[in-house]
């Protein structure tokens, strides 16, 4: 029973409605409005600006303070001391693994990285120039066709198997998208490499010569995966939960998350950043684009700036800004022509009144795009990298929802269309 309560009076309803208020372990209180429907009222919150759609113990964000915690651990500490595999375990299980648990988890992931050979011909149905996100949506959803016998969502073992398969196979599919697009043979995963080294190997290795993944690049990839691993109830995670609330299988649910991630307001922004930097082309043209970003008549936005939740700074962007500098220095790419444009854009945006007033700061995608380009990842694969990193988060949320009592997600609406009318006699 909640101790706090809110009271609501609505014109036309005589009684004052008492609503319970719940406190989380941290963060804003929530008003439980579930009883309102029985009074004939809905709440109205397009874009879910003020709506807590679920209870969760996985990730916490304080947008004003720039805080992001996975299971309580701050992202900066995880980026410095942990790695992606450990964070996957943490997100899925709630606690950091012991040394043995971590080794066992990594071993399990490694032994599920191969995809069924029948997936290979599936690629041939796509044009070579297909957007890799289009292929990922199809290929990840299609995985469900290969695991018919493990799709009972109320069976914990089936759920665990799906979690491991999704985290293990999505990078393999991502690399296959790239190899397919350039007409190179698919590379089978290698179990002697770490998760991120193996990803680089599947991307850039070829059967004719030895490929030794660079530790600097593998480390940068790992950081990118780790920083993207979860972000509480963002659009794609909410999509996964909504799809999951119908009882749909996990592969279908994660495929729906990939679909939502593709949009340029969400994961597609990292690709859009590079497209924008290329379009700007030269530092001298930046003022023109800044003016366009401010113009209400122009739909153009500065890609990689702003965030729905972070209104001070994006802590992931802070970590990646440093990583970006290291990678570029390490690769001797500090004379990349896009870099001065990115730096100047960042400087102007941080000093310009328009951006300051609206709390528009560079977000994670601004820097991840620069790092991924330096590593040699093609621009249209950027959002696939985001999806690979976000998979443990999606799976953890899906698993959390299914492990607890849940209802099908079914929002209501404020209807403003025509009222009842008879079909005209003709
Ligand atoms: N460039 C120029 N103006 C902007 C931008 C931008 N990138 N972002 C927001 N604004 C303005 C917006 O026009 C509005 O101005 P006004 O108050 O005068 O009407 C004000 O700032 C508030 O913006 P909003 O659109 O109401 O904010 P939102 O919370 O609905 O949208 C956002 C957040 C991330 C969708 C938006 O900032 C955006 O489109 N940014 C560019 C795309 C991007 O980088 N997305 C990646 C997000 S981080 C990765 C992830 O987690 O998915």
């Amino acid at each position: 029973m909640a101790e706090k309560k809110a009271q609501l009076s609505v014109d036309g309803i005589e009684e004052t409605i008492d609503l319970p208020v719940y406190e989380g372990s941290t963060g804003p209180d929530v008003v439980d409005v579930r009883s309102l429907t029985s009074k004939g009222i809905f709440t109205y919150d397009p874009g879910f600006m003020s709506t807590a759609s679920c209870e969760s113990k996985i990730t916490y964000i304080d947008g004003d303070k720039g805080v992001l915690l996975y299971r309580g651990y701050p992202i900066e500490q995880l980026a410095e001391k942990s790695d992606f595999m450990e964070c996957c375990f943490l997100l899925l299980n709630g606690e950091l693994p012991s040394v043995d648990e971590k080794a066992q988890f990594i071993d399990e992931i490694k032994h599920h990285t191969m995809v069924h050979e029948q997936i290979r011909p599936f690629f041939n149905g796509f044009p070579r120039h297909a957007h890799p996100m289009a292929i990922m949506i199809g290929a990840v959803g299609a995985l469900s066709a290969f695991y018919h016998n493990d799709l009972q969502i109320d069976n914990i073992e089936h759920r665990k198997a799906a979690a491991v398969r999704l985290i293990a196979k999505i990078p393999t599919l991502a690399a296959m998208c790239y190899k397919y697009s350039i007409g190179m043979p698919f590379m089978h995963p290698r179990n002697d490499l770490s998760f991120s080294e193996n990803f680089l190997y599947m991307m850039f290795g070829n059967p004719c010569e030895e490929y030794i993944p660079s530790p600097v690049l593998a480390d940068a990839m790992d950081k990118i995966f780790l920083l993207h691993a979860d972000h509480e109830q963002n659009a794609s995670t909410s999509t996964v939960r909504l799809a999951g609330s119908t009882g749909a299988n996990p592969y279908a649910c994660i495929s729906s998350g990939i679909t939502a991630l593709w949009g340029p307001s969400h994961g597609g922004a990292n690709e859009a950043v590079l497209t924008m930097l290329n379009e700007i082309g030269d530092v001298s043209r930046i003022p023109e684009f800044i003016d366009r970003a401010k113009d209400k008549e122009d739909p153009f936005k500065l890609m990689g700036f702003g965030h729905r939740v972070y209104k001070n700074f994006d802590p992931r962007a802070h970590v990646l800004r440093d990583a970006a500098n290291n990678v570029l220095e390490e690769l001797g790419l500090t004379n990349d022509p896009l870099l001065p444009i990115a730096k100047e854009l960042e400087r102007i945006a941080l000093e310009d009144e328009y951006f300051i007033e609206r709390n528009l700061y560079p977000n994670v995608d601004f820097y991840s795009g620069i790092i991924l380009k330096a590593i040699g990842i093609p621009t249209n694969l950027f959002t696939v990298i985001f999806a690979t990193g976000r998979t443990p988060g999606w799976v953890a949320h899906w698993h959390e929802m299914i492990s607890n009592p849940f209802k099908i997600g079914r929002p209501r609406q404020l209807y403003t269309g025509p009222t009842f009318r008879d079909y005209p006699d003709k």
Side-chain angles (χ1 to χ4, degrees):
M1 190 68 182
E3 284 174 20
K4 288 191 188 177
K5 66 174 188 214
Q7 292 193 313
L8 180 70
S9 53
V10 181
D11 285 350
I13 297 183
E14 269 180 31
E15 56 172 328
T16 302
I17 304 165
D18 285 341
L19 299 168
V21 176
Y22 306 130
E23 286 178 48
S25 46
T26 182
D29 294 349
V30 301
V31 180
D32 181 346
V33 295
R34 282 175 292 180
S35 63
L36 288 182
T37 182
S38 65
K39 316 275 182 213
I41 307 169
F42 298 146
T43 55
Y44 181 61
D45 185 21
F48 306 116
M49 304 282 287
S50 303
T51 294
S53 61
C54 62
E55 182 187 330
S56 181
K57 295 181 168 57
I58 302 174
T59 290
Y60 174 72
I61 300 174
D62 183 331
D64 293 329
K65 295 194 184 125
V67 169
L68 168 60
L69 311 176
Y70 292 169
R71 301 283 190 182
Y73 296 104
I75 196 69
E76 295 85 350
Q77 289 183 24
L78 292 170
E80 188 191 335
K81 299 178 183 167
S82 182
D83 56 42
F84 180 61
M85 279 291 94
E86 191 171 69
C87 285
C88 289
F89 185 97
L90 174 67
L91 289 168
L92 291 173
N93 299 290
E95 295 297 335
L96 288 167
S98 66
V99 174
D100 285 351
E101 283 170 334
K102 183 173 174 184
Q104 200 186 329
F105 179 72
I106 292 175
D107 192 63
E108 218 179 326
I109 295 287
K110 278 186 177 168
H111 285 90
H112 286 86
T113 46
M114 280 196 290
V115 291
H116 195 290
E117 282 297 290
Q118 281 303 113
I119 295 267
R120 286 172 172 254
F122 191 77
F123 275 75
N124 293 335
F126 287 94
R128 294 267 174 193
H129 61 266
H131 195 289
M133 285 295 275
I135 302 181
M136 289 301 285
I137 290 164
V140 173
L143 286 178
S144 45
F146 295 85
Y147 305 108
H148 274 310
N149 298 331
D150 294 336
L151 291 182
Q152 284 163 26
I153 59 166
D154 48 2
N155 180 323
I156 177 88
E157 294 312 320
H158 289 196
R159 293 209 295 276
K160 283 186 177 166
V164 167
R165 285 187 181 126
L166 281 157
I167 294 170
K169 293 184 199 304
I170 283 184
T172 309
L173 292 172
M176 288 170 83
C177 287
Y178 175 55
K179 289 300 197 197
Y180 183 71
S181 74
I182 55 171
M184 293 259 291
F186 298 138
M187 299 299 285
H188 282 125
R190 263 177 53 190
N191 286 359
D192 59 323
L193 300 175
S194 72
F195 183 89
S196 296
E197 286 172 336
N198 179 51
F199 179 68
L200 291 174
Y201 165 75
M202 292 188 294
M203 283 287 296
F204 301 117
N206 71 63
C208 312
E209 56 195 27
E210 193 185 6
Y211 175 83
I212 303 172
S214 144
V216 177
L217 301 193
D219 187 57
M221 273 317 309
D222 202 78
K223 275 209 173 48
I224 288 181
F225 290 141
L226 181 155
L227 292 169
H228 286 90
D230 194 34
H231 217 227
E232 51 119 308
Q233 311 309 324
N234 57 88
S236 55
T237 303
S238 297
T239 303
V240 169
R241 279 187 180 259
L242 194 56
S245 78
T246 69
N249 76 68
Y251 305 97
C253 294
I254 302 306
S255 174
S256 73
I258 297 174
T259 311
L261 188 75
W262 196 357
S265 298
H266 192 9
N270 54 13
E271 179 177 344
V273 168
L274 259 283
T275 309
M276 177 189 75
L277 293 178
N278 276 312
E279 199 189 338
I280 296 176
D282 191 83
V283 173
S284 63
R285 294 191 63 207
I286 291 179
E288 178 195 323
F289 282 82
I290 297 272
D291 287 347
R292 284 187 59 196
K294 295 178 186 175
D295 182 357
K296 289 278 155 261
E297 304 301 312
D298 190 328
F300 175 78
K301 281 191 172 172
L302 272 195
M303 286 295 138
F305 285 80
H307 199 275
R308 166 58 62 82
V309 181
Y310 295 120
K311 297 302 176 196
N312 199 335
F313 66 92
D314 179 342
R316 304 167 300 172
H318 274 196
V319 176
L320 275 196
R321 187 180 50 200
D322 296 341
N325 287 334
N326 293 343
V327 168
L328 294 170
E329 257 172 45
E330 216 35 69
L331 291 173
L333 287 176
T334 38
N335 56 0
D336 184 313
L338 295 187
L339 204 59
I341 304 176
K343 289 206 160 149
E344 182 60 3
L345 209 54
E346 179 189 9
R347 189 192 65 76
I348 296 180
L350 291 177
E351 288 175 3
D352 189 296
E353 267 313 302
Y354 173 93
F355 293 91
I356 295 170
E357 266 172 23
R358 290 168 179 75
N359 297 314
L360 300 170
Y361 298 85
N363 58 46
V364 68
D365 285 333
F366 189 68
Y367 299 106
S368 67
I370 293 168
I371 297 181
L372 293 173
K373 176 174 187 282
I375 291 177
I377 310 273
T379 311
N380 68 359
L381 213 80
F382 286 6
T383 316
V384 174
I385 304 288
F386 191 154
T388 306
R390 184 56 53 87
T391 299
W394 288 331
V395 174
H397 281 273
W398 172 80
H399 180 63
E400 180 180 64
M401 184 180 71
I402 304 289
S403 310
N404 292 289
F406 66 96
K407 284 179 109 55
I408 185 171
R410 180 35 170 113
R412 303 305 298 262
Q413 62 177 4
L414 170 65
Y415 179 70
T416 52
T419 54
F420 181 93
R421 48 182 167 168
D422 285 316
Y423 187 81
D425 292 331
K426 289 185 182 158

